[in-house]
Amino acid sequence: MTDTTKPLSRPAASPSALATWVLLLAVFAAIYLAALHLPPLLDDADATHAQAAAHMAETGDLVTLKVNGIRYLEKPPLPYWIVAGLYKVLGENAYATHLPNALAVLGCAWIAWLWCRRAWGNRAALYAALGTLTSFGPFLFTRFFIPEALLSFLLLVALYCLLTGFESLRPGRFYIAWAALALATLTKGLIAPIFFFAAAIPTLLLSGYWRRWRQLKPVSGSLLFLLIAVPWHVLAGLRNPTQGHPSGIIPTIGNVHGFWYFYFLNEHVFRFLGLRFPHDYNRLPFVAYWLLHLVWVFPWSLFFPAALIIAWRTRHTWLQHLHRDGGQTVDFYLDHAVREDVASYVFRLKFRTRSAWLLGIFAAFTIVFFALSTNQEYYTWPAWIPLVMLTAGVLASIEETWESVRHEEKQSGSSKTRVAGSFWILNAHILFAVIGAGVAAALILGLWESRNLPYVSDIGTLLAHRAVGDYSLSMSHFFDLTGPSFAALRLPAIIAGVALLLGPTTGLGLRLMRRNVAATVSVGLTAAVFLVAAHIAFTRFEPMLSSKQLADTIIQKGSATDDFIIYGDQSDASSVVFYTHRFFGHPALLVMERCSPHGNGSSMVWGSCYPDAPDIFLTEDQLSALWGQGNRHWLFAQDTNRSKVQQLLAGKLIPVQTIADKTLWTDRPL
């Protein structure tokens, strides 16, 4: 994926490793480390997964995950083991919960830098790592506790060690690859080896490396993989066996398939086919699914056209340098090896070609796989970093060729020579400037409309609630913004507006002056400042996204003998459960049907069907009979259930606190 038709007369200036990492660590600290404390844990998946890790930390049970006392068999254990260990050291808080995600992103940046440095050089390494840290997708989907960042890091390590094991004749690299693949399996399940081998096997066949299959350590490596990956799966199956006489996929109380059926069939096969029970996921529209990848890799997706142009123009050379004995004539390599010795040049060119194939196949398979399967926005996380790496490699190669050609022109006095891809790079900066100006104008308009309005800490009371995507999309609440809501977003809006006005235009000016490295780095720095502003804005949505304020109220005004009741699923108020579970010392009660055959989209359904599940489920009649009797009760409901609660317990509710779209009541005066 690089243009090798033009000789390179001199090395282009590239940043040193020290300067690169000073910049990268500063960007990482600003975007990720500084954001770990706030906001507190979010409702739904974030605090739900944190509960599972807290259960491990407090009980020492490293086999069976539990949420609010109920078995949670959906997920492999490695992310929860890591967070549980951090809870022991740092306490049970948002910082410890989200730190592994942040470090996994840094790990992805490191492996991207290491890989691209070897394949494309120092400049590409800088761009790949900076792109990893400043792309929108990795930023958005590390705000809550999901395993995709760790999965991506481990798969990249496995793929890199596979390729460099052959290239460097280091058998130890293959053992690292097998171990990383096993850990990836303990992170996300069977899709880890599926994705790995879907990319590795075609690359080995195309490159001819399959003839050296013995170097892969297939026997001892497989044993290492099994030694790491299998024990937990066996123990989880033995600890969570089939109960009663289940029939079909839908469990009933006392009749439920065990872990092996649920995990391997329900969570893998049936989920892929869209038949999983309970059906607690959505499928993105086809067009939106593909177009959103431009958002997840933005602003580096602006350079996709340049990368595609180069890939198309060099299509006749895609297979040339894959094989050990394939490639061009000796004279060709001599002409193109001015900067380094011939052997090093040939080695890098072949490694570059094999890297492009391996990364390209891996990214393509991942995206196509989830296009055919059920999907969430973040499922294709593992493909984003390879896309950034490939784009960074092409971008750096175009710039270096461009600079070398201009140097030759100055020496010879010849007319300007057009370098393939340079036109599209310049257009990318122009488009970035247009987008930046448009978004900045929208922010200025919002600030103007809210100029005389007071600051309101609960932004949820000012939003339009347009329900775009039924709030199943990560950016749904963005479409709820109104002029008055900007009263709570002035600071981040000003920061983002200034960054988008100055950053892209500065980058365009630098590009026109042929200061290529500075121009490209300016794209990443602009994105970094914007993401810092985005996180500040994100924290302003805390009352909508987290219920910790309600948990603080309960701890302050309640007692350990009280009961906490959720009208609905535990995920509705999972942050309250997380922050109060030590205070109460017993699970929250749920007003919902136990082991519902309809599923209700609840992660509690399957585990609640086990006969030893705690008795935490209430009917509306039981809630009505319980309310006002015995110890104090606290009742939580979201807006969607508020009218039901008020009708059921009319005249018996004592309001305590309302934030955004959720309300807390008690059954006696405070």
Side-chain angles (χ1 to χ4, degrees):
M1 292 180 63
T2 52
D3 189 357
T4 58
T5 60
K6 298 184 185 297
L8 300 178
S9 59
R10 69 182 182 94
S14 296
S16 67
L18 177 60
T20 293
W21 278 102
V22 168
L23 173 64
L24 293 175
L25 290 175
V27 170
F28 170 73
I31 297 176
Y32 288 93
L33 284 187
L36 291 178
H37 289 92
L38 294 173
L41 293 179
L42 312 181
D43 289 321
D44 203 2
D46 193 32
T48 294
H49 295 166
Q51 288 180 54
H55 167 77
M56 284 188 165
E58 294 164 14
T59 65
D61 183 354
L62 301 180
V63 176
T64 303
L65 283 75
K66 288 187 177 180
V67 172
N68 198 39
I70 301 292
R71 284 179 172 86
Y72 187 66
L73 305 179
E74 283 89 330
K75 308 297 181 183
L78 183 59
Y80 305 93
W81 289 345
I82 295 172
V83 174
L86 288 174
Y87 283 169
K88 289 288 190 179
V89 177
L90 302 175
E92 296 178 5
N93 51 59
Y95 183 92
T97 305
H98 297 152
L99 180 59
N101 263 353
L103 294 179
V105 174
L106 182 61
C108 288
W110 170 74
I111 198 70
W113 175 83
L114 191 67
W115 196 331
C116 286
R117 187 169 184 246
R118 183 167 180 159
W120 285 280
N122 289 337
R123 185 182 306 206
L126 166 62
Y127 295 168
L130 186 61
T132 298
L133 295 176
T134 58
S135 292
F136 284 14
F139 167 82
L140 281 172
F141 300 112
T142 48
R143 305 301 100 178
F144 52 96
F145 183 3
I146 55 174
E148 269 65 23
L150 179 60
L151 171 69
S152 301
F153 168 68
L154 291 170
L155 285 176
L156 282 173
V157 169
L159 292 169
Y160 179 74
C161 289
L162 170 73
L163 195 57
T164 56
F166 282 119
E167 297 285 334
S168 304
L169 300 177
R170 295 183 180 180
R173 294 284 179 94
F174 296 116
Y175 288 118
I176 297 175
W178 284 109
L181 186 59
L183 293 175
T185 304
L186 288 175
T187 299
K188 190 65 176 178
L190 297 183
I191 64 168
I194 290 173
F195 288 178
F196 176 84
F197 287 112
I201 291 174
T203 303
L204 295 179
L205 292 175
L206 289 169
S207 65
Y209 277 151
W210 64 271
R211 297 184 181 90
R212 297 160 57 185
W213 61 270
R214 291 180 180 83
Q215 296 179 17
L216 287 169
K217 308 296 180 182
V219 176
S220 56
S222 297
L223 289 175
L224 176 62
F225 173 88
L226 295 174
L227 182 65
I228 296 172
V230 167
W232 174 80
H233 291 85
V234 172
L235 288 174
L238 296 176
R239 296 269 187 94
N240 302 278
T242 296
Q243 300 290 319
H245 304 283
S247 177
I249 190 175
I250 301 178
T252 58
I253 297 177
N255 300 287
V256 55
H257 290 290
F259 168 81
W260 291 324
Y261 177 97
F262 179 80
Y263 183 79
F264 290 109
L265 291 178
N266 196 52
E267 281 300 299
H268 288 83
V269 178
F270 297 158
R271 181 183 285 273
F272 177 83
L273 298 174
L275 302 175
R276 178 192 184 269
F277 178 85
H279 192 90
D280 61 349
Y281 47 86
N282 298 311
R283 181 180 174 84
L284 289 170
F286 182 81
V287 175
Y289 171 82
W290 288 95
L291 291 181
L292 278 172
H293 286 86
L294 298 177
V295 178
W296 308 147
V297 192
F298 191 85
W300 302 93
S301 55
L302 292 168
F303 299 107
F304 279 2
L308 293 174
I309 288 294
I310 293 299
W312 176 251
R313 292 192 177 186
T314 60
R315 61 192 182 279
H316 59 282
T317 66
W318 286 358
L319 296 174
Q320 274 189 352
H321 306 289
L322 269 173
H323 286 274
R324 177 182 178 87
D325 300 323
Q328 297 277 0
T329 64
V330 174
D331 289 338
F332 171 87
Y333 292 122
L334 288 172
D335 289 341
H336 289 75
V338 177
R339 295 179 296 173
E340 51 192 329
D341 63 272
V342 176
S344 297
Y345 180 79
V346 173
F347 175 84
R348 172 169 288 183
L349 183 59
K350 289 182 176 294
F351 181 75
R352 179 184 305 176
T353 304
R354 292 160 185 159
S355 294
W357 274 99
L358 184 60
L359 292 169
I361 294 172
F362 178 77
F365 180 85
T366 301
I367 295 173
V368 171
F369 178 90
F370 286 117
L372 301 175
S373 172
T374 57
N375 55 61
Q376 299 285 347
E377 294 171 293
Y378 53 83
Y379 278 10
T380 57
W381 218 115
W384 302 343
I385 310 306
L387 289 176
V388 170
M389 293 167 64
L390 291 171
T391 303
V394 174
L395 177 59
S397 296
I398 293 172
E399 289 180 356
E400 289 169 347
T401 302
W402 196 357
E403 291 162 5
S404 296
V405 168
R406 281 181 56 80
H407 178 72
E408 288 184 352
E409 289 175 349
K410 288 181 179 179
Q411 290 183 334
S412 63
S414 60
S415 60
K416 292 184 177 180
T417 303
R418 184 168 180 173
V419 175
S422 59
F423 172 77
W424 294 99
I425 291 178
L426 183 60
N427 281 345
H429 279 277
I430 295 173
L431 180 58
F432 193 29
V434 171
I435 293 173
V439 175
L443 294 173
I444 292 171
L445 178 62
L447 289 168
W448 176 258
E449 289 187 4
S450 64
R451 65 191 183 282
N452 296 321
L453 297 176
Y455 173 85
V456 178
S457 60
D458 190 350
I459 195 174
T461 60
L462 303 173
L463 298 182
H465 300 286
R466 298 184 178 97
V468 174
D470 197 27
Y471 294 117
S472 61
L473 302 176
S474 60
M475 296 181 290
S476 291
H477 286 297
F478 173 81
F479 299 98
D480 290 341
L481 291 175
T482 60
S485 67
F486 272 77
L489 299 173
R490 289 192 183 106
L491 175 60
I494 292 171
I495 295 174
V498 171
L500 292 175
L501 278 177
L502 299 182
T505 54
T506 301
L508 178 58
L510 291 169
R511 186 68 72 184
L512 291 172
M513 291 187 291
R514 302 296 190 268
R515 297 182 61 181
N516 290 318
V517 174
T520 303
V521 169
S522 75
V523 174
L525 296 182
T526 300
V529 176
F530 178 83
L531 293 180
V532 170
H535 184 77
I536 296 172
F538 181 65
T539 62
R540 302 290 169 87
F541 283 87
E542 175 195 333
M544 294 188 62
L545 303 175
S546 174
S547 302
K548 184 179 183 295
Q549 293 182 32
L550 303 183
D552 292 339
T553 298
I554 292 172
I555 293 173
Q556 179 183 2
K557 299 182 178 181
S559 67
T561 59
D562 297 349
D563 286 321
F564 176 58
I565 305 172
I566 303 172
Y567 192 99
D569 185 31
Q570 74 83 31
S571 63
D572 295 343
S574 57
S575 62
V576 179
V577 178
F578 177 84
Y579 285 110
T580 62
H581 74 280
R582 283 185 177 272
F583 177 73
F584 287 128
H586 55 267
L589 303 177
L590 309 178
V591 183
M592 61 179 291
E593 183 179 356
R594 176 185 175 187
C595 196
S596 169
H598 306 294
N600 294 335
S602 172
S603 59
M604 310 293 289
V605 171
W606 201 279
S608 70
C609 294
Y610 275 80
D612 62 350
D615 186 17
I616 62 173
F617 299 92
L618 302 175
T619 65
E620 289 187 345
D621 289 340
Q622 289 174 321
L623 171 62
S624 183
L626 186 68
W627 196 251
Q629 304 298 317
N631 298 324
R632 179 189 297 278
H633 301 92
W634 302 85
L635 178 61
F636 170 99
Q638 292 186 339
D639 273 354
T640 52
N641 292 320
R642 184 178 300 174
S643 60
K644 297 178 183 178
V645 171
Q646 291 172 333
Q647 183 178 1
L648 178 66
L649 301 175
K652 302 178 183 179
L653 292 170
I654 299 176
V656 177
Q657 190 175 6
T658 297
I659 57 172
D661 57 349
K662 60 205 76 171
T663 301
L664 181 68
W665 297 276
T666 188
D667 57 356
R668 64 204 65 190
L670 292 173

